[in-house]
Amino acid sequence: MSHSKSTVYLIPALLDDEAIETIPSYIAESLKNCQVFFVENERTARRYLKKIWREIVIDDYEWFVINKTEEKIQSDFKQKIKERRNIGIISEAGCPGVADPGQELIAIAHEMNADIKPLVGPSSILLALMASGMNGQQFQFVGYLPINEHERVKTIKELEAESEKKKCTQIFIETPYRNNQLVESILKICKHTTKFCIAVDLTGKTEWIKTKTITEWKKEKTDLHKRPAIFLLFVQ
């Protein structure tokens, strides 16, 4: 199939393996237009595409694995755009380019004048913000907080102060096996009246989302070990 120019489809993936209903049906239609996939993990991407479009013939497509800024991947991507191929980009969970690999390739697609087509699907950042009851007009996602204890304490204090000053919701994540340590730090460092939201297992059967003050959280026993979670802070 010849195209006048490349279209790059940004294909959202599942946040929870069972939550197929969170993927709109038009995504399967878009797959039919693709010829090449650039993915974060080939095995899980193949399994995911089979789930949303059973008839897909996986070997009809070319597959490339994204390794952050690897030059080889970038040159392969440029080559496919020159060949006017339609490309799908898929990250491991949620939306490509949003707290996930893909943005370098998307930047290249813009430079090479390809059409970019972002597709609707689950984003843990937006789902958590929607459900938090915190400020959705002014917010920032700051990714992972520093691992170093001293740096982490400093960062949490800065985020809290900035939230108070700008009325800005602060959104961040942690590697699931370090969730409990992060919650412990937040409860120790933040002011009693600061609001803290924890959103766990989003879109899954065991999903829960709670917003409480630091004082209220201190009365609760939470164990988030190895569960995908997203955290939000807000000072009113």
Side-chain angles (χ1 to χ4, degrees):
M1 198 192 303
S2 178
H3 305 268
S4 56
K5 62 176 173 172
S6 231
T7 298
V8 177
Y9 293 90
L10 309 181
I11 300 168
L14 295 162
L15 296 179
D16 179 281
D17 275 352
E18 304 306 310
I20 296 293
E21 72 285 353
T22 60
I23 301 297
S25 55
Y26 88 135
I27 289 182
E29 286 306 307
S30 301
L31 299 180
K32 296 172 188 177
N33 298 327
C34 294
Q35 297 137 321
V36 183
F37 290 116
F38 281 76
V39 302
E40 197 177 345
N41 180 312
E42 189 174 338
R43 190 177 60 85
T44 54
R46 283 170 174 253
R47 201 170 63 217
Y48 163 54
L49 296 190
K50 273 282 191 200
K51 267 185 178 173
I52 61 172
W53 179 26
R54 284 208 185 102
E55 297 73 30
I56 191 171
V57 181
I58 293 287
D59 294 330
D60 284 355
Y61 299 85
E62 280 187 89
W63 291 82
F64 296 89
V65 177
I66 303 169
N67 286 332
K68 299 286 190 284
T69 54
E70 204 179 85
E71 279 169 37
K72 172 81 173 81
I73 277 297
Q74 294 191 2
S75 75
D76 288 338
F77 188 77
K78 285 175 183 169
Q79 183 56 38
K80 294 302 153 193
I81 288 180
K82 281 179 194 154
E83 292 169 12
R84 298 176 180 170
R85 314 289 267 175
N86 283 346
I87 299 166
I89 297 180
I90 309 172
S91 59
E92 272 295 81
C95 305
V98 180
D100 264 316
Q103 70 267 25
E104 290 98 346
L105 300 184
I106 298 161
I108 289 167
H110 281 291
E111 285 161 21
M112 296 184 73
N113 199 32
D115 287 332
I116 317 288
K117 195 142 183 55
L119 304 177
V120 173
S123 156
S124 59
I125 297 166
L126 288 181
L127 291 172
L129 180 63
M130 285 162 67
S132 68
M134 295 177 177
N135 192 352
Q137 303 285 345
Q138 180 117 343
F139 56 89
Q140 66 173 350
F141 175 68
V142 296
Y144 293 93
L145 302 191
I147 292 171
N148 174 283
E149 184 65 24
H150 175 70
E151 287 296 313
R152 172 174 289 210
V153 169
K154 185 168 166 279
T155 301
I156 291 169
K157 284 181 174 166
E158 282 168 359
L159 292 175
E160 188 180 39
E162 187 179 26
S163 176
E164 186 164 22
K165 188 178 168 198
K166 296 183 179 173
K167 293 291 166 258
C168 167
T169 302
Q170 308 285 17
I171 309 170
F172 45 95
I173 48 177
E174 182 52 285
T175 309
Y177 68 85
R178 282 205 295 264
N179 281 339
N180 288 343
Q181 290 94 309
L182 174 62
V183 172
E184 213 174 285
S185 298
I186 296 282
L187 298 189
K188 207 182 292 176
I189 296 159
C190 291
K191 297 173 183 173
H192 300 312
T193 52
T194 292
K195 289 201 163 172
F196 183 42
C197 176
I198 303 176
V200 180
D201 298 335
L202 285 167
T203 74
K205 288 189 174 71
T206 53
E207 169 187 279
W208 60 260
I209 303 149
K210 294 177 188 175
T211 297
K212 298 171 185 289
T213 63
I214 296 296
T215 299
E216 289 166 336
W217 276 116
K218 283 179 175 173
K219 297 172 190 162
E220 283 223 4
K221 178 83 186 95
T222 54
D223 183 8
L224 310 176
H225 188 58
K226 291 195 173 169
R227 293 175 73 180
I230 190 154
F231 305 95
L232 304 89
L233 261 192
F234 184 63
V235 184
Q236 276 178 313

